[in-house]
Amino acid sequence: MNIALPKGRLGEKAYDILEQIGFGCPSIREQNRRLVFENEENQVRYFWVKPSDVAVYVERGAADVGIVGKDILLEQSADVYELLDLGIGKCRMAVAGRKGTRLDTERTLRVATKFTNIARAYFASQSREIEIIKLHGSIEIAPVLYMSDVIVDIVETGTTLKENDLEVLEEIVPISARLIANKASYQFNHGRIQKMMEEMAAAQKE
Ligand code: PRP
């Protein structure tokens, strides 16, 4: 079973759960620059990938399953099965702006974001005209410098917004990590993937 994990804290948490339910691979704990780790005994192979690439590996079948944030799934609309909400990596997608911002519905709203599809879909559902300013990180700077009216971004603790005198103006959707599967792998390895899903769900409740 090939498992794509997102590099970083979320991926490490997800691996802890997988280890707990019998998909351990001790070499993954070694501090080195390797990207692929295998445990023949448990018949698993893990690889660390950029969080925004997990669904690509799964969709193309290089990974049978993967762990990915719902934000990325919504943004990319990958053709994969979403099997389980892992209840970790919880945050929310929100519209935020400078404190006290009133959204003028008469004017085209300038929206800075890296989640362009989520932003377009959200404002289209409200029939609001927007102009997207695509950024790749530190999105919060855009409204501070008046380059945009608002941002669409992830809010976890709210600290980044607070420390930049910004606030949540509208909530879009709650986000958390999901277990996803390649569609063909899910048919061929149904028993094993189903078991993984059930045990991950049970581990969550403990
Ligand atoms: C994310 C997000 C916010 C921040 C929110 O950024 O884009 O900037 O975390 O977290 P908080 O509410 O707990 O402050 P990330 O650190 O992933 O970096 P980025 O700026 O490259 O998106």
Side-chain angles (χ1 to χ4, degrees), residues 3-16:
I3 306 176
L5 290 175
K7 266 188 252 174
R9 214 155 32 100
L10 178 66
E12 283 162 24
K13 266 195 203 172
Y15 172 74
D16 289 342

Side-chain angles (χ1 to χ4, degrees), residues 134-204:
K134 165 97 192 194
L135 295 176
H136 299 90
S138 304
I139 319 292
E140 290 85 355
I141 297 176
V144 170
L145 301 179
Y146 291 81
M147 184 168 83
S148 76
D149 301 302
V150 295
I151 61 172
V152 165
D153 201 13
I154 280 168
V155 181
E156 193 180 351
T157 60
T159 313
T160 312
L161 291 182
K162 205 165 157 218
E163 293 191 353
N164 291 288
D165 299 319
L166 302 171
E167 64 182 4
V168 169
L169 303 173
E170 291 168 19
E171 307 267 347
I172 301 181
V173 65
I175 302 292
S176 56
R178 308 296 157 103
L179 172 68
I180 59 171
N182 171 270
K183 289 190 166 176
S185 302
Y186 187 71
Q187 310 304 336
F188 291 128
N189 300 311
H190 191 265
R192 199 153 182 232
I193 295 177
Q194 187 71 25
K195 190 162 174 277
M196 172 189 269
M197 184 178 121
E198 283 164 14
E199 289 182 2
M200 283 185 108
Q204 213 183 96

